[in-house]
Amino acid sequence: MTNIEADTLDDLIEDCTALPRELRGAATGLPEPRAAAPWQVDDAHYAQVADLDAYV
């Protein structure tokens, strides 16, 4: 009997990357990943943690 399940994370990654690109995108119906916009801290975000030292 052949084990068709991955035993390690490396095995799983290898199995997934072995799939043709056409099948990887079509299986989930999700769009291709795109680059994330750079994340910046604005005053509102900073205000949420301004007094963090008082709680820690």
Side-chain angles (χ1 to χ4, degrees), residues 6-46:
D7 293 324
T8 66
L9 184 56
D10 288 334
D11 290 343
L12 180 61
I13 292 170
E14 185 178 328
D15 290 348
C16 291
T17 57
L19 294 173
R21 184 175 191 84
E22 302 82 39
L23 295 178
R24 284 185 273 158
T28 62
L30 298 175
E32 290 291 323
R34 59 182 186 261
W39 185 77
Q40 296 182 7
V41 177
D42 60 15
D43 291 335
H45 291 118
Y46 183 77

